[in-house]
Amino acid sequence: MSVTPGDDHSIKDAEHGLTPSVSSESTDAAAHGGVKAVEATQKVYGKYSKWFLFIGLGLSAYIYSLDGTTTYNYLAFATSSFDHHSLISTIQVAQSIIIAVGKPVIAKIADVSSRGSAYFIVLVFYVIGYIVIASANSVNAIAGGIVLYAIGYTGLQLLTQIIIADITTLKWRGLVSGLISMPFIINAFVGSNVATNVLNGAGWRWGYGMFAILIPVSLLPLIVTLLWAEWKARKLGLTSNGNSQATQSNETLFRRVLTAADKLDIFGLLFLGTSVALILLPLTLSQTAKGQWHNGSMIAMEVIGCVLLPFYILWDFKFANFPVVARRFLLNLSVVLACLIGGFDFLSFYLSFSYLYSFVIVVKPWPLLHMTYFVQTQTVALTVFGIGAGIAMRFVHRSKPLLVVGLAIRLLGCGLMIHSRGANASDAEVVWSQILQGIGGGFAATTLQVSAQASVAHADVGMVTAIVLLVTEIGGAIGTAIAGSIWTHKMPERLAVHLPFVSADERAILFGSITSVTAYPRGDPIREGVIMEYHLMIYTAYDDVMKILTIAATAFSVVPFALSFFMPNWYLGDQQNAADNEDLAGEKADAPPPEKS
């Protein structure tokens, strides 16, 4: 942040160590042509075109939400139709890795070219992916289609957040980000009904195929608006693309490819993507691999992944002209803390959530529809209170207090699960443990993203958003892997303790299939053995394992709460960011008022 004479607030922030590391490297026009184009388009938007932009964002947010709450239901049926249901985990691992590491790629494209062209690329991957899945003749085709679709899915999620950062000032950003998630409130319940009707009617192919039609219809208004604004800005001479295009026209095709690869940091992305993939795959696949961690391929993947990580750091620090994770990001306290808080928060969440649905199906005599609604409780609460956090930031003009309070509430909800996990816990107690986590998560997610974006110049907002989401989702993958490892190792052991009168083969069936457990009626000795030990009145197999998961989740949730106290407390005013104090058009904004003591 540049400190100007008379800017009391900036001086006070600098005295408290809140000044980020910002260099000319962050505003290089060659690397961030898309950002310059965005700033230029702010000068051409009128009243109606701005509303058209918001409508386009709303449509894209709704279709993203509907996709996320329906299509995951179809994969089991799609793979089963080719007699390869066991490959679900492998496909989901590939999908999660693409969703994680694809974010820096999409962010780079949006920064180097333009937001509109990045959206178009996302649309192409989305449509092709769903067409491949819908017309698949083998499970390999399904896997390939899902990898293509995942690029579009992660790109749409990221670009929507980047566009919101482009067109909103800091004081409004949290609220707009929360409002754009409102479709999840509706689709948390509507999506289940849509998926059920599709599976009972047209079938899983149309469940995927209909999005090949819905996605273009929903995204085209936004893409057209963005491309129109970029074209008009060029026509009015507000961008300097003409000179760069003339220069490029004199270059050979090979040279232009090298230039594009340099701007996108292709080598850095390859090192990063391969490293993350090789580290994550063993964590999620080791339990199903032959020999588990004694399998040489598992160890080899981990070793190669860990070895590639230093090569990636060396490349980005010493050789890359436009690195994905620049050194200035690692020296920026807000960015580092946002990554760590997000990563540990997701690690904690997935530790307790990964097997929550399975646990509730076994221990609670609820109708299946009510169980589905229960699993969506956190999503709904998170969305509602994310909007509440945005409203609060609009008037408080600070994000840190809300972040600390949100993570404290989330810790409380997570700790409550240690007790409420019991089969005999009241329904209200079980539900409230999820509501509290959703309330805290809503406050934390909104404030965390704004805090990271506030600390960097506009040219870095897209990449910082991608990096924070990347680390956050890696934390989620690690949490899922730990939960899977605990469940796989502990559940057979606890079933043997609580069901000594059942044969080993039958216990293996009970462990491997939730439906085999729920097939026994309430009151049946075998099912009651899974739920509750009669004579000793202690927690049973599922309670025992969930106790381990919830204690571990609560322990990890302490880490983000503790880290939140060190987050810089940025003033959220009429700037696009607090680093260079510029408005949405790239002009110097009015100095923020001094911080009240």
Side-chain angles (χ1 to χ4, degrees):
M1 176 185 293
S2 59
V3 181
T4 56
D7 187 348
D8 298 333
H9 172 75
S10 296
I11 294 173
K12 190 166 186 178
D13 275 356
E15 290 173 348
H16 285 81
L18 304 184
T19 304
S21 177
V22 178
S23 68
S24 59
E25 179 187 12
S26 66
T27 56
D28 193 303
H32 302 291
V35 178
K36 295 300 180 183
V38 168
E39 294 174 350
T41 58
Q42 296 300 319
K43 302 174 183 178
V44 305
Y45 279 123
K47 176 182 177 181
Y48 297 107
S49 57
K50 198 85 172 206
W51 273 110
F52 207 68
L53 179 64
F54 279 112
I55 292 173
L57 276 173
L59 286 173
S60 67
Y62 183 83
I63 202 65
Y64 171 81
S65 170
L66 185 63
D67 178 8
T69 54
T70 57
T71 54
Y72 77 93
N73 294 285
Y74 307 141
L75 183 58
F77 294 88
T79 53
S80 295
S81 66
F82 297 106
D83 298 323
H84 283 291
H85 180 268
S86 61
L87 291 179
I88 282 181
S89 60
T90 303
I91 294 173
Q92 288 179 331
V93 166
Q95 180 179 349
S96 64
I97 290 172
I98 293 296
I99 287 176
V101 303
K103 285 180 169 59
V105 180
I106 300 297
K108 269 286 187 179
I109 292 173
D111 284 349
V112 171
S113 55
S114 72
R115 305 318 198 214
S117 58
Y119 260 110
F120 183 76
I121 292 172
V122 163
L123 173 61
V124 170
F125 276 103
Y126 233 129
V127 172
I128 293 177
Y130 273 140
I131 290 176
V132 170
I133 298 172
S135 60
N137 293 319
S138 68
V139 72
N140 291 331
I142 291 176
I146 285 181
V147 168
L148 293 174
Y149 141 78
I151 297 174
Y153 186 81
T154 189
L156 181 56
Q157 177 202 29
L158 175 66
L159 288 174
T160 300
Q161 295 302 320
I162 292 177
I163 292 295
I164 290 173
D166 287 337
I167 65 176
T168 59
T169 57
L170 288 174
K171 68 181 182 182
W172 288 108
R173 190 168 304 160
L175 177 57
V176 175
S177 181
L179 289 173
I180 215 72
S181 300
M182 280 188 67
F184 278 98
I185 300 176
I186 301 171
N187 289 330
F189 307 104
V190 173
S192 298
N193 293 308
V194 169
T196 301
N197 290 330
V198 167
L199 290 171
N200 290 333
W204 64 267
R205 291 185 185 274
W206 270 107
Y208 287 113
M210 69 181 187
F211 281 98
I213 302 171
L214 294 175
I215 291 291
V217 172
S218 302
L219 290 187
L220 278 178
L222 178 58
I223 293 173
V224 169
T225 303
L226 292 171
L227 293 177
W228 166 82
E230 293 163 8
W231 168 81
K232 189 171 183 180
R234 287 195 301 270
K235 185 177 180 181
L236 294 175
L238 299 176
T239 61
S240 57
N241 288 347
N243 293 334
S244 61
Q245 289 175 352
T247 301
Q248 288 181 1
S249 64
N250 295 327
E251 293 180 343
T252 64
L253 177 61
F254 178 72
R255 183 62 185 173
R256 290 163 67 177
V257 169
L258 287 180
T259 301
D262 185 33
K263 292 179 180 178
L264 291 173
D265 189 20
I266 293 297
F267 287 108
L269 290 171
L270 285 174
F271 280 131
L272 178 62
T274 305
S275 175
V276 171
L278 292 176
I279 291 173
L280 286 183
L281 275 171
L283 292 175
T284 53
L285 294 176
S286 62
Q287 300 308 314
T288 57
K290 183 178 180 180
Q292 299 182 352
W293 283 111
H294 297 291
N295 188 320
S297 62
M298 295 293 104
I299 300 174
M301 290 168 67
E302 281 288 350
V303 170
I304 295 173
C306 293
V307 168
L308 282 179
L309 199 55
F311 275 98
Y312 159 70
I313 297 173
L314 178 65
W315 169 264
D316 265 19
F317 271 34
K318 294 294 184 181
F319 302 105
N321 293 319
F322 310 108
V324 175
V325 183
R327 184 182 305 178
R328 61 185 177 279
F329 297 156
L330 300 177
L331 300 177
N332 187 315
L333 182 61
S334 294
V335 174
V336 172
L337 286 177
C339 290
L340 292 175
I341 291 173
F344 277 104
D345 183 54
F346 260 47
L347 194 160
S348 169
F349 169 75
Y350 279 102
L351 262 173
S352 63
F353 191 79
S354 293
Y355 289 94
L356 181 63
Y357 187 65
S358 303
F359 173 74
V360 171
I361 284 179
V362 172
V363 303
K364 287 294 181 182
W366 296 342
L368 187 59
L369 184 61
H370 291 178
M371 292 180 184
T372 304
Y373 288 166
F374 168 75
V375 174
Q376 300 292 344
T377 301
Q378 269 205 64
T379 300
V380 174
L382 192 148
T383 303
V384 171
F385 285 91
I387 296 172
I391 295 174
M393 283 192 289
R394 166 62 183 84
F395 295 101
V396 176
H397 295 288
R398 299 284 171 179
S399 59
K400 179 178 179 177
L402 298 171
L403 175 64
V404 174
V405 170
L407 290 171
I409 296 174
R410 193 163 179 82
L411 174 59
L412 175 63
C414 196
L416 182 61
M417 284 188 71
I418 299 175
H419 180 266
S420 70
R421 80 187 189 283
N424 293 322
S426 68
D427 292 353
E429 188 178 358
V430 173
V431 172
W432 263 105
S433 69
Q434 301 304 300
I435 292 176
L436 286 174
Q437 290 188 68
I439 294 172
F443 275 76
T446 304
T447 54
L448 191 66
Q449 183 165 286
V450 173
S451 297
Q453 292 176 345
S455 69
V456 296
H458 191 185
D460 287 333
V461 165
M463 187 53 64
V464 161
T465 304
I467 291 170
V468 172
L469 290 175
L470 167 66
V471 176
T472 297
E473 287 170 358
I474 289 175
I478 295 172
T480 302
I482 295 175
S485 178
I486 292 174
W487 190 272
T488 303
H489 286 95
K490 289 295 182 181
M491 185 58 73
E493 171 190 316
R494 303 319 299 167
L495 285 173
V497 170
H498 294 292
L499 297 171
F501 49 86
V502 174
S503 68
D505 290 341
E506 190 164 0
R507 286 199 301 268
I509 294 174
L510 291 174
F511 168 67
S513 175
I514 289 296
T515 57
S516 64
V517 177
T518 56
Y520 293 101
R522 296 290 296 190
D524 185 284
I526 294 180
R527 186 172 182 190
E528 292 302 323
V530 178
I531 298 174
M532 178 175 166
E533 179 73 71
Y534 291 118
H535 305 294
L536 301 178
M537 296 299 290
I538 61 172
Y539 292 121
T540 59
Y542 275 73
D543 292 324
D544 291 344
V545 179
M546 280 302 293
K547 180 180 181 179
I548 298 173
L549 293 176
T550 52
I551 290 176
T554 304
F556 277 110
S557 66
V558 174
V559 177
F561 174 63
L563 291 174
S564 66
F565 287 95
F566 300 95
M567 178 66 75
N569 194 20
W570 297 104
Y571 176 81
L572 310 178
D574 292 316
Q575 324 99 301
Q576 196 283 330
N577 62 81
D580 52 22
N581 199 37
E582 292 181 349
D583 60 21
L584 300 178
E587 306 293 338
K588 188 62 65 176
D590 294 334
E595 180 181 356
K596 295 180 181 180
S597 59

